[in-house]
Amino acid sequence: MIAIDGPSASGKGTVASRVAAQLGFHYLDSGALYRLTALGARRAGVHLPPVEHAIPPGLEQQLATHAAGLDVRFVGEQIFLAGEEVSLALRDEQTSREASRVAALGAVRAALLQRQRDFRVAPGLVTDGRDMATVVFPDAQVKIFLTASAEERAARRYKQLIGKGLTANIDDLLRDIHERDQRDASRALAPLVQDLRASLLDTTCLTADAAVEEVLRRYHASIDAPCN
Ligand code: C5P
């Protein structure tokens, strides 16, 4: 079990999925579940209030019910919601912003907890998110806190969106990243923090290949010396 946490757009998804492929392990993108909750709710006509208003308890319950009943299928890199491919829609900026808001709700997190743990099957799991090492898989064998500077993360997100044929503005992306970092790190429930047993991996000046190699090196080192 390899748990990789880190801030948005740090590249942890790319690294985690490639590590999983190299080891022949399963891969869970836990952020996708929060994104799916936000997108699915919106498509079902459940709308969030403007960002300056708190989400009321009744709406939180509605969103949690939605999260619990998500009809999701992960097929390779594709994600299906109620039979429809939504991999691209999940990444747009509105869904990104809304995912971070619904992820701050206790009832939603509780509704998604067991679903995440169910991904832990043989021969192994590599997962990425915000609370993989601290809350969902606290006994993970390898824990990594993967990060990069906000400017580098905005630049990567920009390239990713443009590469997918979407429009993007680098200043807006940087502002969104700061806002999301702030919300993820300051929320009361499962905030983004480096677990005490997690080792830091700063990828600001690393290629994805080098980051993958480094995670694999730490994984193999943990097998050779499990108590370190
Ligand atoms: O990782 P990604 O950016 O796709 O996650 C989308 C949102 O879901 C994040 O902004 C974060 O608030 C939330 N999230 C979370 N816990 C996780 C994974 C993601 O709260 N384990």
Side-chain angles (χ1 to χ4, degrees):
M1 173 79 228
I2 303 178
I4 302 180
D5 289 310
S8 28
S10 53
K12 58 192 186 310
T14 306
V15 172
S17 61
R18 285 174 53 181
V19 168
Q22 291 224 21
L23 294 172
F25 283 9
H26 300 279
Y27 167 57
L28 166 65
D29 166 8
S30 66
L33 295 173
Y34 294 96
R35 290 173 182 272
L36 285 157
T37 302
L39 180 69
R42 187 177 352 121
R43 288 191 171 178
V46 179
H47 295 287
L48 303 188
V51 71
E52 59 279 12
H53 294 278
I55 294 176
L59 180 54
E60 175 171 350
Q61 269 320 316
Q62 246 182 311
L63 289 162
T65 305
H66 203 84
L70 280 176
D71 170 11
V72 177
R73 251 181 336 118
F74 292 91
V75 184
E77 296 202 340
Q78 293 176 302
I79 303 176
F80 294 84
L81 176 63
E84 186 191 334
E85 224 238 276
V86 291
S87 320
L88 203 57
L90 283 185
R91 302 282 143 202
D92 70 32
E93 287 307 300
Q94 183 181 3
T95 307
S96 302
R97 265 195 304 276
E98 291 180 354
S100 138
R101 292 183 72 199
V102 303
L105 304 172
V108 170
R109 301 200 77 83
L112 293 175
L113 186 61
Q114 193 53 45
R115 192 185 271 256
Q116 294 172 82
R117 290 185 173 155
D118 289 344
F119 278 85
R120 189 178 196 168
V121 286
L125 176 68
V126 185
T127 178
D128 74 85
R130 304 294 186 288
D131 61 343
M132 297 297 96
T134 49
V135 176
V136 184
F137 302 107
D139 61 338
Q141 179 187 348
V142 178
K143 297 181 173 185
I144 291 174
F145 193 81
L146 192 151
T147 190
S149 72
E151 289 71 18
E152 176 62 21
R153 288 185 280 135
R156 288 180 192 166
R157 183 75 101 198
Y158 180 82
K159 270 196 218 142
Q160 198 181 38
L161 291 170
I162 297 295
K164 286 180 176 166
L166 299 170
T167 53
N169 174 294
I170 191 92
D171 295 332
D172 291 348
L173 288 172
L174 186 58
R175 198 194 52 239
D176 276 357
I177 278 178
H178 280 304
E179 272 175 24
R180 231 174 298 155
D181 281 358
Q182 163 69 12
R183 200 178 302 132
D184 288 350
S186 64
R187 70 185 177 207
L189 291 166
L192 173 66
V193 284
Q194 182 174 345
D195 185 78
L196 282 177
R197 276 209 309 114
S199 57
L200 181 69
L201 179 54
D202 186 329
T203 67
T204 306
C205 299
L206 285 187
T207 61
D209 282 349
V212 168
E213 281 311 309
E214 180 55 24
V215 173
L216 288 169
R217 193 193 65 70
R218 292 183 192 184
Y219 168 71
H220 290 299
S222 82
I223 293 176
D224 296 340
C227 295
N228 285 339

